[in-house]
Amino acid sequence: MAAFDPADELGQDLGFRLLMNTSVTLFWRRAILEETTAWLTTHGYQVTRLDASHWATERDLHRDIAAALDFPAYYGHNLDALNDCMRDVVSQDYGWAPDTTGLALVFSGYDSFAACCPRAAQIVLDIMADQSRSAALFGHRLICLVQSNDPRIRFEPVGATSVDWNDAEWFDSKRRTD
């Protein structure tokens, strides 16, 4: 199942426009972010908001995201565990109501977190981009909206994928001729 119907007028679909080039989109003006989230809400998206402006440590991030997405008690409160739990969110095991058009995660004040924990801030966005691509494989829409009070904030590209060996040749031993 496709995440979008090509027969639809997609130029008018804000969800499509947000996902067309990237699944992680920056916002500076809160009014534009509010217009965007209002449109998404009206069109059936689950909008989950996280205020990153008070995150001074990774622990703060993990506490709030676990609560917002109803992560299980065994959540490891680290970036690898976040990636694992986001995989379950994409499967709609928790944190994402299956009857919605999609899930929009909104991080406001993200520049504050990026100033305190730049590496973690970058990795979180990369995880969201990767999981958005995974969601699309199942016909689901995962959008990450990132509000910054710094209009000059920049992040490295997110969602890059490596060139991996196929499942049958994953292990080095499967690629030896001796």
Side-chain angles (χ1 to χ4, degrees), residues 80-141:
D80 288 334
L82 174 62
N83 191 46
D84 291 343
C85 283
M86 284 305 301
R87 190 174 301 117
D88 294 341
V89 170
V90 164
S91 298
Q92 298 178 329
D93 294 341
Y94 46 80
W96 184 347
D99 60 340
T100 59
T101 304
L103 172 62
L105 292 177
V106 181
F107 295 104
S108 60
Y110 204 72
D111 53 304
S112 295
F113 178 58
C116 293
C117 304
R119 179 179 174 276
Q122 178 70 40
I123 292 170
V124 167
L125 298 183
D126 199 53
I127 288 169
M128 297 309 158
D130 287 344
Q131 293 305 327
S132 179
R133 184 176 43 252
S134 294
L137 293 173
F138 298 105
H140 302 155
R141 304 173 190 179

Side-chain angles (χ1 to χ4, degrees), residues 19-62:
L19 286 167
M20 188 167 54
N21 294 317
T22 182
S23 56
V24 179
T25 304
L26 288 170
F27 289 81
W28 174 52
R29 291 186 178 93
R30 288 184 185 265
I32 295 172
L33 176 63
E34 291 309 315
E35 289 172 13
T36 300
T37 57
W39 188 96
L40 292 169
T41 300
T42 299
H43 288 82
Y45 284 79
Q46 173 184 324
V47 176
T48 301
R49 298 174 183 272
L50 294 142
D51 182 0
S53 66
H54 65 276
W55 296 347
T57 66
E58 281 187 50
R59 179 174 295 142
D60 298 330
L61 154 81
H62 294 293

Side-chain angles (χ1 to χ4, degrees), residues 69-80:
L69 294 175
D70 198 28
F71 285 0
Y74 59 80
Y75 174 56
H77 293 84
N78 60 62
L79 295 170
D80 288 334

Side-chain angles (χ1 to χ4, degrees), residues 110-178:
Y110 204 72
D111 53 304
S112 295
F113 178 58
C116 293
C117 304
R119 179 179 174 276
Q122 178 70 40
I123 292 170
V124 167
L125 298 183
D126 199 53
I127 288 169
M128 297 309 158
D130 287 344
Q131 293 305 327
S132 179
R133 184 176 43 252
S134 294
L137 293 173
F138 298 105
H140 302 155
R141 304 173 190 179
L142 172 60
I143 300 170
C144 183
L145 309 178
V146 179
Q147 188 277 328
S148 169
N149 295 312
D150 176 359
R152 292 181 185 88
I153 198 165
R154 298 279 186 265
F155 293 97
E156 294 297 316
V158 295
T161 58
S162 61
V163 178
D164 291 331
W165 287 99
N166 64 75
D167 291 345
E169 299 173 318
W170 180 261
F171 294 106
D172 289 342
S173 62
K174 298 291 186 179
R175 298 188 309 272
R176 290 191 193 126
T177 58
D178 51 345

